Amino acid sequence: MSDRPRVGLLVTCLVDFVRPQIGFAAVRLLEQSGCDVEVPLQTCCGQPAWNSGADKHATDLARQVIETFEPFDYVVAPSGSCAGMIKRHYIEALVNDPAYLPRARALAAKTFELVSFLVQVRGVRALNVQCATRACYHDSCSSLRELGVRKEPRKLLSEVEGLMLAELVEPEVCCGFGGLFSVKYPEISERMADQKIVDAQATGADVIVGADLGCLLHLKGRMQRKGINMGVRHVAEVLAGMVGEPALGEP
Amino acid sequence: MNARSEILSAIRARQVTSAPAPPDYHAPTPADLVQAFADHAQLANAEVRFIDSEADTPGTIADLLRARNFPAVVHVPPSCMSLPWHIAPGLTVEATSPGPDDAAMAIAPFGIAETGTLAYPSGTDSPASWHFCAGFEIAVLRAAAILPHMENVIACFKAGGLPSTINFVTGPSRTGDIEQTLELGAHGPKALAILIVKD
Amino acid sequence: MTADPRSFPETSRAALRDPGLRIALGRLRTHFALGRAQAVERYPDWEALRESSRAIRDYALAHLDTLLLRFEQNVYASGGHVHWARDAKEAREIVLAILRKADARTVIKGKSMVSEEVGLNDFLAANGIETVETDLGEYIVQLRREPPSHIIAPAFHLNKEDVARTFRDAHNTLDPERPLSERSDLVAEARRVLRARFESADAGITGANFLTASEGAAVLVTNEGNGDLTRLLPKTHIVLTGLEKIVASMEHAAVLLRLLTRSATGQDISSYVTVMKGPRAGADSDGGKNFHVVLVDNGRTPLLGTEAEEVLRCIRCAACLNHCPVYAAVGGHAYGATYTGPIGAALNPGLMGVQVARHHANASTFCGRCAEVCPVKIPLPKIMRYWRAREYASGVAPRGMTASLGVWAFVAKRPTFYAVATLIAARLLKLLSRNGQVHQLPIMRNWFAVRDFPAPQGRTFQQLWAKRG
């Protein structure tokens, strides 16, 4: 491996579609940490199909992702749930495919969520960015429980000059997004969002920061419907110093 | 095929996973068994008192009843009739089974240090139902009979043949069924006192 | 008595609107979850204990036939009887036959979830046998003609005023002016009323937390002491239990007991742990002459050898319920089944059928908190997903969802087509937005029912990246 590893950015379907800025923030952070970033033509990791039990679709998409990304030294995604899908669930999905199972294992071993990649693999300790605001951090369930990511985003956010990080009372409770759950059981999803929002408001934060755009879209969308004025940003944008642009869902 | 053979065949047909016999689990053993027992029993809302010998039982029981405004009556199983009750002359000893507001005593052959638990085997001279019928149970336990874990107590019982019922009792009866708030004295005793005999 | 799991969308919506339920559900966090967290913190090596427990349960499931046979042999050797029931109907009929043979007219019950599962009480009532629940929570919901709403706290959804009203209605021979405003008043009244029932009952039915093969014993865990009185006072004692509760020995049960109450309520041990072997022995002064164990299958053995098998490890601690955000939002009644929360979601599609219980497996975000707290490491979300896959593969999933997924997957497997489709959609959505939000769309109505959608930036990342390249 050269000293500038080749990272395939798995930009994630939501970032690609809704907020490319997060992708560019991820690229900046990866390049700053000494990586060469490429973005192969890609669609989706297949999680919506997998979670719905549409196993044929899920395995087709898993193979497509494996083929696309296995040439790289690392695969990095600005999302705990997409990274979790590849790291934990491709092996389950392809358990009966002797040709692809070893390739799934190999890909899983070199796939990372963005912030944990920066801290654990690239050893990033310091940043040179500012963001004078009071923020609270929303851990996604996949980051917490599938990947064990908890300290890394807080570590890097503490390096952001001017940022005051307040902790939610219940950081480990699900926000209610859950992919298609948000549209299959909208009222339950709504209740869970409202509880997370109340927790966030109680911290006095102006901004909710998180690493999974699905959670953030759900929380921001709910706040917009309720007329609650808290900013929502992806952690990559904050760490890359790209907070000049409007926050999520702001005109 | 009857239900039994059908169920067994279904199990045999489907059982695919093999699993090795699990290695023995060893729970951490408290350093001071008697202190650990007392601490855990108190955490479970039992009152714990230390006495020097079994002969102090009648006097201590009289004290306990006075302190809780109970009448000076204690229901005593056959196994405890030979204690020196005359030492506490104000105390009435009843041989009948206790009612829900009565005090009763029992001798616990073993205690478990890990959890502050009393172990009662069923038998003639110690009716198991008494542990549940009384309002206030007073148990006598020798310090040397406090074993580290439930496994140790089971081993002791097995040596003599397992009784038909073993009651492991930790603290008084309780319920949290109303608003998840603890209330003592659901169906068993509202209060439990344990006299640990130092010997 | 129970509602239909198929009504979950309606029942869950109604539950969300119930303010009293909301207050009760708040106690999941402050009481059960906090208690468990403190107990886990205090225990020197929780993960080692958990791993041992998993191994003990897996060993039992892998040797289910041998252990059940050994158990049966030992029960007979102690003078008891063992019965096998393939399904709910058989279980009910076996219990009725035992009671008839014992000429039992009144029955008291210690806690048994399986008796709920097989619909025992109503069946016995229809056959002229009165049953009285003795677990306080079960007694309260029995009086109210409601099903239990939580596996270990059946009256969880009620506040003390509800209970007081219920007692005034049911105990109508008592002084109507009596005070019932304190919880202690309510507990004292239940104690008095039920004591009379204990003393007069002809037979007692309990469940079992564990069955131990080497000893032929059943182990029961209660805080109240009602299980013990149910065993000790009546002439006949019936243990009604799922057959998967078997473990190899009392030593194995002792390990699991450490996990059980700590996971359930945070107590190191419950007030009473009762080990019951056969009928009264010669030397005993109390206990029934007749001892029967009814082993119930009712859909359990078909789970062996499938991806759902691990659900049979369950020791019924309800930690998963206590940590589930969906259960915390809607409570137990919304599920319309005996087993609710994550364990219900993993078990019911197997016990009741994938189509009947489809909402249980689908109403989950897979947040994974249940699997994290499960003392025997059941991979609950994985099993729920398995049921979803079974539903999808057998073609019974809702057609709208299947069709949408099909279209989406078709496009996602064609990256160039996908790139064009998404860049058009991103632009379109941006144009439809006002002030950074999209308020409504003709598709994804359920999203817009409760949320706006933050407007996309208008170009896709890959589109912009290609330009930058």
Side-chain angles (χ1 to χ4, degrees), chain A:
Chain A
M1 205 180 291
S2 78
D3 49 355
R4 278 194 80 84
R6 278 179 73 224
V7 170
L9 179 71
L10 193 126
V11 66
T12 83
C13 59
L14 286 179
V15 168
D16 184 42
F17 183 69
V18 181
R19 197 163 171 87
Q21 157 144 315
I22 297 170
F24 286 110
V27 170
R28 178 183 293 184
L29 288 164
L30 289 165
E31 287 177 343
Q32 277 172 358
S33 78
C35 301
D36 288 331
V37 182
E38 291 173 45
V39 184
L41 183 63
Q42 59 192 267
T43 64
C44 174
C45 69
Q47 185 172 63
W50 180 247
N51 282 350
S52 302
D55 289 5
K56 168 117 198 349
H57 292 319
T59 48
D60 288 346
L61 288 168
R63 290 188 196 95
Q64 182 171 282
V65 168
I66 290 171
E67 286 160 13
T68 307
F69 283 94
E70 61 191 350
F72 296 96
D73 297 328
Y74 296 103
V75 180
V76 178
S79 160
S81 71
C82 307
M85 180 68 205
I86 297 170
K87 277 190 96 71
R88 303 280 174 249
H89 301 300
Y90 275 12
I91 302 161
E92 291 169 10
L94 293 167
V95 69
N96 294 317
D97 185 336
Y100 275 84
L101 183 57
R103 295 165 74 178
R105 272 193 232 285
L107 189 68
K110 60 188 182 185
T111 299
F112 292 86
E113 178 276 332
L114 174 68
V115 176
S116 58
F117 179 74
L118 294 171
V119 173
Q120 289 166 6
V121 181
R122 300 310 295 159
V124 172
R125 295 282 173 266
L127 304 159
N128 209 352
V129 294
Q130 303 166 339
C131 181
T133 195
R134 189 174 170 84
C136 60
Y137 189 75
H138 168 61
D139 299 275
S140 69
C141 297
S142 327
S143 289
L144 278 178
R145 286 176 208 107
E146 293 193 325
L147 302 174
V149 175
R150 191 183 272 101
K151 297 193 305 247
E152 298 81 346
R154 289 168 171 81
K155 199 168 161 34
L156 288 186
L157 285 169
S158 70
E159 298 295 323
V160 175
E161 201 188 307
L163 187 80
M164 282 172 301
L165 198 58
E167 283 294 336
L168 294 170
V169 170
E170 293 202 282
E172 312 241 334
V173 176
C174 181
C175 69
F177 173 61
L180 289 172
F181 175 86
S182 60
V183 293
K184 287 197 272 184
Y185 300 95
E187 297 88 359
I188 304 177
S189 180
E190 171 193 354
R191 169 64 56 84
M192 291 164 74
D194 286 346
Q195 283 172 332
K196 184 63 72 172
I197 291 165
V198 163
D199 197 351
Q201 286 176 303
T203 65
D206 299 310
V207 182
I208 299 175
V209 177
D212 270 79
L213 187 54
C215 307
L216 300 178
L217 287 169
H218 160 71
L219 290 173
K220 182 64 182 179
R222 180 65 188 153
M223 289 195 289
Q224 284 170 329
R225 181 59 59 93
K226 292 182 69 152
I228 293 173
N229 242 341
M230 271 180 84
V232 173
R233 286 198 183 273
H234 191 282
V235 65
E237 303 174 70
V238 177
L239 298 178
M242 289 165 70
V243 294
E245 296 296 309
L248 183 65
E250 249 121 77

Side-chain angles (χ1 to χ4, degrees), chain C residues 352-431:
Chain C
M352 305 171 95
V354 161
Q355 225 172 336
V356 170
R358 68 169 302 274
H359 288 296
H360 296 176
N362 277 280
S364 168
T365 61
F366 290 169
C367 78
R369 212 137 169 251
C370 50
E372 205 175 41
V373 301
C374 175
V376 287
K377 300 187 174 180
I378 303 171
L380 291 156
K382 181 160 172 278
I383 297 173
M384 290 180 224
R385 198 213 76 81
Y386 164 72
W387 293 123
R388 294 183 189 186
R390 286 277 305 268
E391 184 192 12
Y392 198 92
S394 54
V396 297
R399 260 171 298 159
M401 186 64 67
T402 315
S404 310
L405 265 172
V407 168
W408 168 84
F410 180 88
V411 177
K413 292 181 209 180
R414 292 159 177 77
T416 322
F417 182 3
Y418 181 93
V420 172
T422 49
L423 73 83
I424 293 171
R427 181 79 79 104
L428 191 56
L429 222 51
K430 175 84 200 283
L431 288 171

Side-chain angles (χ1 to χ4, degrees), chain B residues 26-74:
Chain B
H26 297 287
T29 301
D32 181 341
L33 296 180
V34 177
Q35 195 55 53
F37 177 90
D39 292 341
H40 280 102
Q42 281 168 327
L43 264 174
N45 309 94
E47 183 177 345
V48 177
R49 291 222 194 161
F50 289 89
I51 58 178
D52 290 319
S53 83
E54 270 188 10
D56 296 331
T57 303
T60 318
I61 291 180
D63 272 344
L64 287 167
L65 294 174
R66 247 191 314 272
R68 287 162 191 270
N69 284 323
F70 261 75
V73 181
V74 63

Side-chain angles (χ1 to χ4, degrees), chain B residues 33-180:
Chain B
L33 296 180
V34 177
Q35 195 55 53
F37 177 90
D39 292 341
H40 280 102
Q42 281 168 327
L43 264 174
N45 309 94
E47 183 177 345
V48 177
R49 291 222 194 161
F50 289 89
I51 58 178
D52 290 319
S53 83
E54 270 188 10
D56 296 331
T57 303
T60 318
I61 291 180
D63 272 344
L64 287 167
L65 294 174
R66 247 191 314 272
R68 287 162 191 270
N69 284 323
F70 261 75
V73 181
V74 63
H75 292 252
V76 171
S79 58
C80 308
M81 277 303 188
S82 57
L83 288 170
W85 294 105
H86 57 275
I87 294 182
L91 191 55
T92 308
V93 171
E94 288 284 358
T96 55
S97 64
D101 300 311
D102 296 333
M105 74 157 289
I107 294 183
F110 298 107
I112 302 174
E114 186 189 338
T115 47
T117 300
L118 301 165
Y120 293 119
S122 56
T124 339
D125 41 359
S126 56
S129 58
W130 282 36
H131 307 306
F132 304 92
C133 291
F136 178 23
E137 172 157 281
I138 303 157
V140 176
L141 171 69
R142 286 176 41 245
I146 296 176
L147 305 181
H149 306 294
M150 185 180 280
E151 287 89 331
N152 305 112
V153 174
I154 304 275
C156 288
F157 281 137
K158 276 187 176 177
L162 267 189
S164 67
T165 303
I166 304 172
N167 294 112
F168 289 107
V169 177
T170 313
S173 155
R174 71 199 60 229
T175 179
D177 271 343
I178 303 178
E179 296 182 340
Q180 299 342 106

Side-chain angles (χ1 to χ4, degrees), chain B residues 6 124 129 158 164 179 188, chain C residues 86 183 191 215 283-284 286:
Chain B
E6 208 175 286
T124 339
S129 58
K158 276 187 176 177
S164 67
E179 296 182 340
Chain C
R86 282 168 287 208
R183 281 178 292 263
R191 181 188 164 88
E215 299 82 10
D284 292 352
D286 38 27

Side-chain angles (χ1 to χ4, degrees), chain C residues 284-335:
Chain C
D284 292 352
S285 16
D286 38 27
K289 284 183 358 261
N290 307 314
F291 180 72
H292 296 265
V293 179
V294 182
L295 300 170
V296 180
D297 185 348
N298 203 28
R300 288 154 172 77
T301 53
L303 299 177
L304 290 169
T306 70
E307 278 184 57
E309 176 176 326
E310 288 142 314
V311 81
L312 296 174
R313 287 186 198 148
C314 179
I315 60 175
R316 304 285 192 268
C317 71
C320 57
L321 271 71
N322 296 336
H323 292 80
C324 174
V326 173
Y327 182 89
V330 303
H333 284 162
Y335 289 78

